[in-house]
Coordinates of all heavy atoms in Angstrom, one line a residue:
A1 N 4.9 72.7 46.6 CA 5.8 73.8 46.4 C 5.3 74.7 45.4 O 4.8 74.3 44.4 CB 7.2 73.2 46.0
T2 N 5.5 76.0 45.6 CA 5.1 77.0 44.6 C 6.3 77.4 43.8 O 7.4 77.3 44.2 CB 4.4 78.1 45.3 OG1 5.3 78.8 46.1 CG2 3.1 77.7 46.0
G3 N 6.0 78.0 42.6 CA 7.0 78.4 41.7 C 6.9 77.8 40.4 O 6.0 77.0 40.1
Y4 N 7.8 78.1 39.5 CA 7.7 77.6 38.1 C 8.4 76.2 38.1 O 9.5 76.0 38.6 CB 8.5 78.6 37.2 CG 8.3 78.2 35.8 CD1 7.1 78.6 35.1 CD2 9.3 77.6 35.1 CE1 7.0 78.2 33.8 CE2 9.2 77.3 33.7 CZ 8.0 77.6 33.1 OH 7.8 77.3 31.8
H5 N 7.8 75.2 37.4 CA 8.3 73.9 37.4 C 8.4 73.4 35.9 O 7.6 73.7 35.1 CB 7.4 72.9 38.2 CG 7.3 73.2 39.6 ND1 6.5 74.2 40.2 CD2 8.0 72.8 40.6 CE1 6.7 74.2 41.4 NE2 7.6 73.4 41.8
V6 N 9.4 72.6 35.7 CA 9.6 71.9 34.4 C 9.8 70.4 34.7 O 10.5 70.0 35.7 CB 10.9 72.4 33.7 CG1 11.1 71.7 32.4 CG2 10.8 73.9 33.5
L7 N 9.1 69.6 34.0 CA 9.2 68.1 34.1 C 10.2 67.6 33.2 O 10.3 67.8 32.0 CB 7.8 67.5 33.8 CG 7.7 66.0 34.0 CD1 7.8 65.6 35.4 CD2 6.3 65.5 33.5
Y8 N 11.1 66.7 33.8 CA 12.2 66.1 33.1 C 12.1 64.6 33.3 O 11.5 64.1 34.2 CB 13.6 66.5 33.7 CG 14.0 67.9 33.4 CD1 13.6 68.9 34.2 CD2 14.8 68.2 32.3 CE1 14.0 70.2 34.0 CE2 15.2 69.5 32.0 CZ 14.8 70.5 32.9 OH 15.2 71.8 32.6
H9 N 12.6 63.9 32.3 CA 12.8 62.4 32.4 C 14.3 62.2 32.6 O 15.1 62.7 31.8 CB 12.3 61.7 31.1 CG 12.6 60.3 31.1 ND1 13.6 59.8 30.4 CD2 12.0 59.2 31.8 CE1 13.7 58.4 30.6 NE2 12.7 58.1 31.4
Y10 N 14.6 61.3 33.5 CA 16.0 61.0 33.7 C 16.2 59.5 33.3 O 15.6 58.6 33.8 CB 16.4 61.1 35.2 CG 17.9 60.8 35.5 CD1 18.9 61.6 34.9 CD2 18.2 59.7 36.2 CE1 20.2 61.2 35.2 CE2 19.5 59.3 36.4 CZ 20.5 60.1 35.9 OH 21.8 59.8 36.1
D11 N 17.1 59.3 32.4 CA 17.5 57.9 31.9 C 18.7 57.5 32.7 O 19.8 58.0 32.6 CB 17.8 58.0 30.4 CG 18.0 56.6 29.8 OD1 18.6 55.8 30.5 OD2 17.6 56.4 28.7
L12 N 18.4 56.4 33.6 CA 19.5 55.9 34.4 C 20.6 55.3 33.6 O 21.8 55.4 34.0 CB 19.0 54.9 35.4 CG 18.0 55.4 36.5 CD1 17.4 54.3 37.2 CD2 18.8 56.3 37.4
V13 N 20.3 54.6 32.5 CA 21.3 54.0 31.7 C 22.2 55.0 31.0 O 23.4 54.9 31.0 CB 20.6 53.0 30.7 CG1 21.7 52.4 29.8 CG2 19.8 51.9 31.4
K14 N 21.6 56.0 30.4 CA 22.4 57.0 29.6 C 22.9 58.1 30.5 O 23.6 59.0 30.1 CB 21.5 57.5 28.5 CG 21.2 56.5 27.5 CD 20.3 57.1 26.4 CE 19.9 56.1 25.4 NZ 19.0 56.6 24.3
N15 N 22.4 58.1 31.8 CA 22.7 59.2 32.7 C 22.4 60.6 32.1 O 23.3 61.5 32.0 CB 24.2 59.1 33.1 CG 24.5 60.0 34.3 OD1 23.7 60.3 35.1 ND2 25.8 60.5 34.4
K16 N 21.2 60.7 31.6 CA 20.8 61.9 30.8 C 19.4 62.4 31.2 O 18.5 61.6 31.3 CB 20.9 61.6 29.3 CG 20.5 62.7 28.4 CD 20.5 62.2 26.9 CE 20.0 63.3 26.0 NZ 19.8 62.9 24.7
F17 N 19.3 63.7 31.3 CA 18.0 64.3 31.5 C 17.4 64.8 30.2 O 18.1 65.3 29.4 CB 18.1 65.6 32.4 CG 18.3 65.3 33.9 CD1 19.5 65.3 34.4 CD2 17.2 65.0 34.7 CE1 19.7 65.0 35.8 CE2 17.3 64.7 36.0 CZ 18.6 64.7 36.6
T18 N 16.1 64.6 30.0 CA 15.4 65.1 28.8 C 14.2 66.0 29.3 O 13.4 65.5 30.1 CB 14.8 63.9 28.0 OG1 15.8 63.0 27.7 CG2 14.1 64.4 26.8
R19 N 14.2 67.2 28.8 CA 13.1 68.1 29.2 C 11.8 67.7 28.5 O 11.8 67.5 27.3 CB 13.5 69.5 28.8 CG 12.6 70.6 29.2 CD 13.1 72.0 28.7 NE 12.2 73.0 29.2 CZ 12.6 74.1 29.8 NH1 13.8 74.4 29.9 NH2 11.7 75.0 30.2
L20 N 10.8 67.5 29.3 CA 9.5 67.0 28.7 C 8.4 68.1 28.6 O 7.7 68.2 27.6 CB 8.9 65.9 29.6 CG 9.8 64.7 29.8 CD1 9.1 63.7 30.7 CD2 10.0 64.0 28.4
L21 N 8.3 69.0 29.6 CA 7.1 69.8 29.7 C 7.3 71.0 30.7 O 7.9 70.7 31.8 CB 6.0 69.0 30.2 CG 4.6 69.5 30.2 CD1 4.1 69.9 28.8 CD2 3.6 68.5 30.8
E22 N 6.9 72.2 30.3 CA 6.9 73.3 31.3 C 5.5 73.3 31.9 O 4.5 73.3 31.3 CB 7.1 74.6 30.5 CG 8.5 74.7 29.9 CD 8.8 76.0 29.2 OE1 8.0 76.9 29.4 OE2 9.8 76.0 28.5
L23 N 5.5 73.3 33.3 CA 4.2 73.0 34.0 C 3.7 74.2 34.8 O 2.6 74.1 35.3 CB 4.4 71.9 35.0 CG 4.9 70.6 34.3 CD1 5.2 69.5 35.4 CD2 3.8 70.0 33.4
G24 N 4.4 75.3 34.8 CA 3.9 76.4 35.6 C 4.1 76.1 37.1 O 5.0 75.5 37.5
D25 N 3.1 76.6 37.9 CA 3.1 76.4 39.3 C 2.4 75.1 39.6 O 1.2 74.9 39.3 CB 2.4 77.6 40.0 CG 2.5 77.5 41.5 OD1 3.3 76.7 42.0 OD2 1.8 78.3 42.1
I26 N 3.0 74.1 40.2 CA 2.5 72.8 40.6 C 2.2 72.7 42.1 O 3.1 73.1 42.8 CB 3.4 71.7 40.2 CG1 3.6 71.7 38.7 CG2 2.8 70.4 40.6 CD1 4.6 70.6 38.3
T27 N 1.1 72.2 42.5 CA 0.8 72.0 43.9 C 0.6 70.6 44.2 O 0.6 70.2 45.4 CB -0.4 72.8 44.3 OG1 -1.5 72.4 43.6 CG2 -0.2 74.3 44.2
H28 N 0.5 69.7 43.2 CA 0.3 68.3 43.5 C 0.7 67.5 42.2 O 0.2 67.9 41.1 CB -1.2 68.1 43.8 CG -1.6 66.7 44.2 ND1 -1.9 66.3 45.5 CD2 -1.7 65.5 43.5 CE1 -2.1 65.1 45.6 NE2 -2.0 64.5 44.4
L29 N 1.4 66.5 42.4 CA 1.8 65.6 41.2 C 1.7 64.2 41.6 O 2.3 63.8 42.7 CB 3.2 66.0 40.7 CG 3.7 65.2 39.5 CD1 4.1 66.2 38.4 CD2 4.8 64.3 39.9
E30 N 1.0 63.4 40.9 CA 0.9 62.0 41.2 C 1.1 61.1 40.0 O 0.3 61.2 39.0 CB -0.5 61.7 41.9 CG -0.6 60.3 42.4 CD -1.7 60.2 43.4 OE1 -2.2 61.2 44.0 OE2 -2.2 59.1 43.6
A31 N 2.0 60.2 40.0 CA 2.3 59.3 39.0 C 1.3 58.1 39.1 O 1.2 57.5 40.2 CB 3.7 58.8 39.0
V32 N 0.7 57.7 38.0 CA -0.2 56.5 38.0 C 0.4 55.3 37.3 O -0.1 54.2 37.4 CB -1.6 56.9 37.5 CG1 -2.3 57.9 38.4 CG2 -1.5 57.4 36.0
S33 N 1.5 55.6 36.5 CA 2.2 54.5 35.9 C 3.6 55.1 35.6 O 3.9 56.2 35.9 CB 1.5 54.1 34.6 OG 1.7 55.0 33.6
K34 N 4.4 54.2 34.9 CA 5.7 54.7 34.5 C 5.7 55.8 33.6 O 6.7 56.6 33.5 CB 6.4 53.4 33.9 CG 7.9 53.6 33.6 CD 8.5 52.3 33.3 CE 8.6 52.0 31.9 NZ 9.4 50.8 31.6
H35 N 4.6 56.0 32.8 CA 4.6 57.0 31.8 C 3.5 58.1 32.0 O 3.5 59.1 31.3 CB 4.3 56.4 30.4 CG 5.4 55.4 30.0 ND1 6.6 55.8 29.6 CD2 5.4 54.1 30.0 CE1 7.4 54.8 29.3 NE2 6.7 53.7 29.6
E36 N 2.6 57.9 33.0 CA 1.5 58.8 33.2 C 1.5 59.5 34.5 O 1.7 58.9 35.5 CB 0.2 58.0 33.0 CG 0.0 57.4 31.7 CD -1.1 56.5 31.7 OE1 -1.1 55.5 32.4 OE2 -2.1 56.7 30.9
V37 N 1.2 60.8 34.5 CA 1.1 61.6 35.7 C -0.1 62.5 35.6 O -0.5 63.0 34.5 CB 2.4 62.5 36.0 CG1 3.6 61.6 36.3 CG2 2.7 63.4 34.9
Y38 N -0.7 62.8 36.8 CA -1.7 63.8 36.9 C -1.1 64.9 37.8 O -0.3 64.5 38.7 CB -3.0 63.2 37.6 CG -3.8 62.4 36.7 CD1 -3.6 61.0 36.7 CD2 -4.8 62.9 35.9 CE1 -4.4 60.2 35.8 CE2 -5.6 62.1 35.1 CZ -5.4 60.8 35.1 OH -6.2 60.0 34.2
F39 N -1.5 66.1 37.6 CA -0.9 67.2 38.5 C -1.9 68.4 38.4 O -2.7 68.5 37.5 CB 0.5 67.6 38.0 CG 0.6 68.0 36.6 CD1 0.5 69.4 36.3 CD2 0.8 67.1 35.6 CE1 0.5 69.8 34.9 CE2 0.9 67.5 34.2 CZ 0.7 68.9 33.9
I40 N -1.7 69.2 39.4 CA -2.4 70.5 39.5 C -1.5 71.6 39.1 O -0.3 71.6 39.6 CB -3.0 70.8 40.9 CG1 -4.0 69.7 41.3 CG2 -3.6 72.2 41.0 CD1 -4.5 69.8 42.7
S41 N -1.9 72.4 38.1 CA -1.0 73.5 37.7 C -1.9 74.7 37.3 O -3.1 74.5 37.0 CB -0.2 73.0 36.4 OG 0.6 74.1 36.0
D42 N -1.2 75.8 37.2 CA -1.9 77.0 36.8 C -1.6 77.4 35.3 O -1.6 78.6 35.0 CB -1.6 78.2 37.7 CG -0.1 78.6 37.7 OD1 0.7 77.9 37.0 OD2 0.2 79.6 38.3
I43 N -1.4 76.4 34.5 CA -1.0 76.6 33.1 C -2.1 77.5 32.4 O -1.8 78.4 31.7 CB -0.9 75.3 32.3 CG1 0.3 74.5 32.8 CG2 -0.8 75.5 30.8 CD1 0.4 73.1 32.3
S44 N -3.3 77.3 32.8 CA -4.4 78.0 32.2 C -4.8 79.3 32.9 O -5.7 80.1 32.5 CB -5.7 77.2 32.1 OG -6.1 76.9 33.4
G45 N -4.0 79.6 34.0 CA -4.3 80.8 34.8 C -5.0 80.5 36.0 O -4.9 81.3 37.0
I46 N -5.7 79.4 36.1 CA -6.4 78.9 37.3 C -5.9 77.5 37.6 O -5.7 76.7 36.6 CB -7.9 78.9 37.1 CG1 -8.4 80.2 36.7 CG2 -8.6 78.3 38.3 CD1 -9.3 80.9 37.7
Q47 N -5.7 77.1 38.8 CA -5.2 75.8 39.1 C -6.3 74.7 38.7 O -7.4 74.7 39.3 CB -4.8 75.7 40.6 CG -3.6 76.5 40.9 CD -3.2 76.3 42.3 OE1 -4.0 76.2 43.2 NE2 -1.9 76.3 42.5
N48 N -5.9 73.8 37.8 CA -6.8 72.7 37.4 C -5.9 71.5 37.3 O -4.7 71.5 37.4 CB -7.3 73.0 36.0 CG -8.6 73.9 36.0 OD1 -9.6 73.4 36.3 ND2 -8.4 75.2 35.7
I49 N -6.6 70.3 37.2 CA -6.0 69.1 37.1 C -5.6 68.8 35.6 O -6.4 69.0 34.7 CB -6.8 67.9 37.6 CG1 -7.2 68.2 39.1 CG2 -6.2 66.6 37.4 CD1 -8.2 67.2 39.6
Y50 N -4.4 68.3 35.4 CA -3.9 68.0 34.1 C -3.3 66.6 34.1 O -3.0 66.0 35.1 CB -2.7 68.9 33.7 CG -3.2 70.3 33.4 CD1 -3.3 71.2 34.5 CD2 -3.5 70.8 32.2 CE1 -3.7 72.5 34.3 CE2 -3.9 72.1 31.9 CZ -4.0 72.9 33.0 OH -4.5 74.2 32.7
Y51 N -3.3 66.0 32.9 CA -2.8 64.7 32.7 C -1.7 64.8 31.6 O -1.8 65.5 30.6 CB -3.9 63.8 32.1 CG -3.4 62.5 31.5 CD1 -3.2 61.4 32.2 CD2 -3.2 62.4 30.1 CE1 -2.8 60.2 31.7 CE2 -2.8 61.2 29.5 CZ -2.6 60.1 30.3 OH -2.2 58.9 29.7
F52 N -0.6 64.1 31.9 CA 0.5 64.0 30.9 C 1.0 62.6 30.7 O 1.2 61.9 31.7 CB 1.7 64.9 31.4 CG 2.9 64.8 30.4 CD1 2.8 65.4 29.2 CD2 4.1 64.2 30.8 CE1 3.9 65.4 28.3 CE2 5.1 64.1 29.9 CZ 5.0 64.7 28.7
N53 N 1.1 62.2 29.5 CA 1.6 60.8 29.1 C 3.0 61.0 28.4 O 3.1 61.6 27.4 CB 0.6 60.1 28.2 CG 1.1 58.7 27.9 OD1 2.2 58.4 27.6 ND2 0.1 57.8 27.9
R54 N 4.0 60.5 29.1 CA 5.4 60.7 28.6 C 5.6 59.9 27.3 O 6.4 60.3 26.4 CB 6.4 60.2 29.7 CG 7.8 60.5 29.3 CD 8.7 60.1 30.4 NE 8.8 58.7 30.7 CZ 9.5 57.8 30.0 NH1 10.2 58.2 29.0 NH2 9.5 56.5 30.3
S55 N 4.9 58.8 27.1 CA 5.1 58.0 25.9 C 4.6 58.7 24.7 O 5.2 58.6 23.6 CB 4.4 56.6 26.0 OG 4.9 55.9 27.1
T56 N 3.5 59.4 24.8 CA 2.9 60.0 23.6 C 3.0 61.6 23.6 O 2.6 62.2 22.7 CB 1.4 59.7 23.6 OG1 0.8 60.3 24.8 CG2 1.1 58.2 23.5
N57 N 3.6 62.1 24.7 CA 3.7 63.5 24.9 C 2.3 64.2 24.9 O 2.2 65.4 24.6 CB 4.6 64.2 23.9 CG 6.1 63.9 24.2 OD1 6.5 63.8 25.3 ND2 6.9 63.8 23.2
E58 N 1.3 63.5 25.3 CA 0.0 64.0 25.4 C -0.2 64.8 26.7 O 0.1 64.3 27.8 CB -1.1 62.9 25.4 CG -2.5 63.4 25.6 CD -3.5 62.3 25.8 OE1 -3.1 61.2 26.0 OE2 -4.7 62.6 25.7
L59 N -0.6 66.1 26.6 CA -0.9 66.9 27.7 C -2.4 67.2 27.6 O -2.9 67.7 26.6 CB -0.1 68.2 27.7 CG -0.5 69.2 28.8 CD1 -0.3 68.6 30.2 CD2 0.2 70.5 28.6
K60 N -3.2 66.9 28.6 CA -4.6 67.2 28.6 C -5.1 67.8 29.9 O -4.7 67.4 31.0 CB -5.3 65.8 28.4 CG -6.8 65.9 28.3 CD -7.5 64.6 27.9 CE -7.2 63.5 28.9 NZ -7.9 62.2 28.6
Q61 N -5.9 68.9 29.7 CA -6.5 69.5 30.9 C -7.7 68.7 31.2 O -8.6 68.5 30.4 CB -6.9 71.0 30.6 CG -7.5 71.7 31.8 CD -7.7 73.2 31.5 OE1 -7.1 73.7 30.6 NE2 -8.5 73.8 32.4
V62 N -7.7 68.1 32.5 CA -8.8 67.2 32.9 C -10.0 68.0 33.5 O -11.1 67.6 33.2 CB -8.3 66.2 33.9 CG1 -9.3 65.3 34.5 CG2 -7.1 65.4 33.3
T63 N -9.8 69.0 34.2 CA -10.8 69.8 34.8 C -10.8 71.2 34.2 O -9.8 71.7 33.7 CB -10.7 69.9 36.3 OG1 -9.5 70.5 36.6 CG2 -10.8 68.6 36.9
K64 N -11.9 71.9 34.2 CA -12.0 73.3 33.8 C -12.7 74.1 34.8 O -13.8 74.7 34.6 CB -12.7 73.4 32.4 CG -11.9 72.7 31.3 CD -12.6 72.9 30.0 CE -11.6 72.2 29.0 NZ -12.1 72.3 27.7
S65 N -12.1 74.1 36.0 CA -12.7 74.8 37.2 C -12.5 76.3 37.0 O -11.6 76.8 36.5 CB -12.0 74.4 38.4 OG -12.6 75.0 39.6
I66 N -13.5 77.1 37.5 CA -13.4 78.6 37.5 C -12.7 79.0 38.8 O -12.4 80.2 39.0 CB -14.7 79.3 37.3 CG1 -15.7 78.9 38.4 CG2 -15.3 78.9 35.9 CD1 -17.0 79.7 38.4
E67 N -12.5 78.1 39.8 CA -11.8 78.4 41.0 C -10.6 77.4 41.1 O -10.7 76.3 40.6 CB -12.7 78.3 42.2 CG -13.8 79.3 42.2 CD -14.6 79.2 43.5 OE1 -14.2 78.6 44.5 OE2 -15.7 79.8 43.5
N68 N -9.6 77.8 41.8 CA -8.4 77.0 42.0 C -8.8 75.7 42.7 O -9.6 75.6 43.6 CB -7.3 77.7 42.9 CG -6.6 78.8 42.1 OD1 -6.5 78.7 40.9 ND2 -6.1 79.7 42.8
I69 N -8.3 74.6 42.2 CA -8.4 73.2 42.7 C -7.3 73.0 43.7 O -6.1 73.3 43.3 CB -8.5 72.1 41.7 CG1 -9.7 72.3 40.8 CG2 -8.4 70.8 42.3 CD1 -9.9 71.3 39.7
G70 N -7.5 72.6 44.9 CA -6.5 72.5 45.9 C -5.9 71.1 46.0 O -4.7 70.9 46.4
D71 N -6.7 70.0 45.7 CA -6.2 68.7 45.9 C -7.0 67.7 45.1 O -8.1 68.0 44.7 CB -6.2 68.3 47.4 CG -5.3 67.2 47.8 OD1 -4.5 66.7 46.9 OD2 -5.3 66.7 48.9
F72 N -6.5 66.5 44.9 CA -7.2 65.4 44.3 C -6.7 64.1 44.7 O -5.6 64.0 45.3 CB -7.2 65.6 42.7 CG -5.9 65.3 42.1 CD1 -5.5 64.1 41.7 CD2 -5.0 66.4 42.0 CE1 -4.3 63.8 41.1 CE2 -3.8 66.2 41.4 CZ -3.4 64.9 40.9
A73 N -7.4 63.0 44.4 CA -6.9 61.7 44.7 C -7.1 60.8 43.4 O -8.1 61.1 42.7 CB -7.6 61.1 45.9
I74 N -6.3 59.9 43.2 CA -6.5 59.0 42.1 C -7.2 57.7 42.5 O -6.7 57.0 43.4 CB -5.1 58.6 41.4 CG1 -4.4 59.9 41.0 CG2 -5.3 57.6 40.3 CD1 -5.0 60.6 39.8
A75 N -8.3 57.4 41.9 CA -9.1 56.2 42.2 C -8.4 55.0 41.5 O -7.5 55.2 40.6 CB -10.5 56.3 41.7
K76 N -8.8 53.8 41.8 CA -8.2 52.6 41.3 C -8.3 52.5 39.7 O -7.5 51.9 39.1 CB -8.8 51.4 41.9 CG -8.4 51.2 43.3 CD -8.8 49.9 43.9 CE -8.4 49.8 45.4 NZ -8.5 48.6 46.0
D77 N -9.4 53.2 39.2 CA -9.5 53.2 37.7 C -8.7 54.3 37.1 O -8.8 54.6 35.9 CB -11.0 53.3 37.3 CG -11.6 54.6 37.8 OD1 -10.9 55.5 38.4 OD2 -12.8 54.8 37.6
Q78 N -7.8 55.0 37.9 CA -6.9 56.0 37.5 C -7.6 57.3 37.0 O -7.0 58.1 36.3 CB -5.9 55.5 36.4 CG -5.0 54.4 36.9 CD -4.0 54.0 35.8 OE1 -4.0 54.5 34.7 NE2 -3.1 53.1 36.2
N79 N -8.8 57.5 37.5 CA -9.4 58.8 37.2 C -9.3 59.7 38.5 O -9.5 59.2 39.6 CB -10.9 58.6 36.9 CG -11.1 58.0 35.6 OD1 -10.4 58.3 34.6 ND2 -12.0 57.0 35.5
P80 N -8.9 61.0 38.3 CA -8.8 61.8 39.4 C -10.1 62.2 40.1 O -11.1 62.4 39.4 CB -8.1 63.1 38.9 CG -8.4 63.1 37.4 CD -8.6 61.6 37.0
T81 N -10.1 62.3 41.4 CA -11.3 62.6 42.1 C -11.0 63.9 42.9 O -10.0 63.9 43.7 CB -11.8 61.5 43.1 OG1 -12.0 60.3 42.3 CG2 -13.0 61.9 43.8
I82 N -11.8 64.9 42.8 CA -11.5 66.2 43.5 C -12.0 66.1 44.9 O -13.1 65.5 45.2 CB -12.2 67.4 42.8 CG1 -11.6 67.5 41.4 CG2 -12.0 68.7 43.6 CD1 -12.4 68.5 40.5

């Protein structure tokens, strides 16, 4: 889906949403654990792969492509493969 996206965490016990991160335009999001997600976003102006850890609030740009990345897959070692 294209458009502006914001990542939230929903606590089932407290019935409460917590805003985590503004992600820009996302074309792919894949959770690898309860706290970690990889996604493609245009935060930097070009679609690249990013990593976000909800536990530490770490946001890391994984790729630095000069052209938009269209898709990726997560290998068993949890590293994204373009």
Side-chain angles (χ1 to χ4, degrees):
T2 60
Y4 188 79
H5 295 85
V6 178
L7 183 64
Y8 288 87
H9 172 258
Y10 179 69
D11 187 321
L12 292 170
V13 175
K14 296 179 181 177
N15 193 29
K16 179 182 173 186
F17 284 98
T18 303
R19 185 180 181 133
L20 298 175
L21 186 63
E22 295 181 13
L23 302 173
D25 186 13
I26 299 174
T27 58
H28 186 106
L29 183 124
E30 190 163 336
V32 294
S33 75
K34 188 164 94 172
H35 300 284
E36 299 171 296
V37 295
Y38 286 92
F39 57 93
I40 296 175
S41 179
D42 64 354
I43 294 171
S44 65
I46 303 249
Q47 290 181 325
N48 276 284
I49 299 172
Y50 291 84
Y51 164 85
F52 178 68
N53 185 314
R54 186 177 66 83
S55 295
T56 62
N57 285 328
E58 175 189 13
L59 173 64
K60 179 170 61 174
Q61 185 173 340
V62 177
T63 60
K64 293 186 180 179
S65 179
I66 59 172
E67 295 184 16
N68 287 334
I69 292 177
D71 202 5
F72 69 93
I74 300 294
K76 290 185 181 190
D77 62 2
Q78 296 187 356
N79 289 318
T81 304
I82 301 170

